[in-house]
Amino acid sequence: AQTIHQWPVAEIKAVGSPLSLGCTIKGKSSPNLYWYWQATGGTLQQLFYSITVGQVESVVQLNLSASRPKDDQFILSTEKLLLSHSGFYLCAWSLMGTEVFFGKGTRLTVV
Amino acid sequence: GQQVQQSPASLVLQEGENAELQCNFSSTATQLQWFYQSPGGSLVSLLSNPSGTKHTGRLTSTTVTKERRSSLHISSSQTTDSGTYLCAIASSGSWQLIFGSGTQLTVMP
């Protein structure tokens, strides 16, 4: 069975510090991968998607970057956090044109 | 671009009552999913239903593609059904799943 694991579960970081969030999908070959973000009380927004290793497309500009170093791994990062980066980050996967499944998320608080 | 409107924004029920949630979207959707978001934030896929009617357990979704609307019916609600229900749409050729702002459901004992 396929599993999706996100890490860390929660982070408290200082403004200006770097960030790296990770996501691993097991049990599926060559999935489409996504990063989503939700501000507190806000609507989920897609940030990035990747359909293959090494290729990532940006959907919303939030001074974040994403990489897919392996088929089953998706990384979200920034070198300098802003207060506006606070929120809930979700990784997701799907196969072509099918149902999307989400990880449990990472709650980020920037102080 | 694609817009997704959900109604009502919030709903309070007594346990055992039925709930009807609505989702309207602005452009043709080739993918439509209903999700449950727990108070902690995690998302669970409930139904994938781009057209027609689908059932799972106490949930029934009906999507009328031509009218760009979908509904989620929850029968015999339970307190554990409390949370936020989200509708999400993708259009043909798009990699982007667009979410509505959700319906917050509270089921009272």
Side-chain angles (χ1 to χ4, degrees), chain A residues 1 4-5 7 13 15 25 32 34-35 52 58 69 74 80-82 89 95 97 102 104 108:
Chain A
I4 178 168
H5 175 61
W7 72 91
K13 303 276 281 187
V15 169
I25 293 87
N32 301 323
Y34 313 90
W35 277 111
T52 191
S58 172
F74 209 16
K80 283 190 177 181
L81 278 165
L82 307 173
Y89 290 84
L95 297 178
F102 285 79
K104 294 189 182 300
L108 174 67

Side-chain angles (χ1 to χ4, degrees), chain A:
Chain A
Q2 61 281 352
T3 58
I4 178 168
H5 175 61
Q6 279 190 249
W7 72 91
V9 172
E11 280 263 51
I12 300 176
K13 303 276 281 187
V15 169
S17 64
L19 174 76
S20 182
L21 304 180
C23 173
T24 299
I25 293 87
K26 295 298 183 187
K28 284 294 176 186
S29 179
S30 302
N32 301 323
L33 299 177
Y34 313 90
W35 277 111
Y36 285 80
W37 171 73
Q38 185 177 37
T40 303
T43 304
L44 272 159
Q45 291 184 72
Q46 188 172 332
L47 301 177
F48 298 95
Y49 68 89
S50 170
I51 60 174
T52 191
V53 175
Q55 288 188 12
V56 177
E57 301 296 332
S58 172
V59 177
V60 172
Q61 285 297 326
L62 280 183
N63 292 310
L64 295 167
S65 59
S67 64
R68 185 170 179 177
K70 300 178 187 178
D71 186 52
D72 63 353
Q73 196 173 71
F74 209 16
I75 307 295
L76 184 70
S77 61
T78 183
E79 292 186 0
K80 283 190 177 181
L81 278 165
L82 307 173
L83 284 174
S84 57
H85 285 137
S86 290
F88 195 55
Y89 290 84
L90 285 157
C91 179
W93 71 271
S94 73
L95 297 178
M96 181 69 170
T98 63
E99 208 167 337
V100 179
F101 297 95
F102 285 79
K104 294 189 182 300
T106 296
R107 190 160 301 281
L108 174 67
T109 304
V110 182
V111 296

Side-chain angles (χ1 to χ4, degrees), chain B residues 82-98:
Chain B
S82 296
T84 302
Y85 290 79
L86 299 170
C87 173
I89 308 291
S91 302
S92 177
S94 172
W95 295 100
Q96 192 173 1
L97 202 59
I98 309 288

Side-chain angles (χ1 to χ4, degrees), chain B residues 63-74:
Chain B
T63 299
V64 184
T65 311
K66 284 185 182 178
E67 296 180 14
R68 296 176 186 167
R69 61 178 174 86
S70 181
S71 64
L72 181 69
H73 181 87
I74 305 172

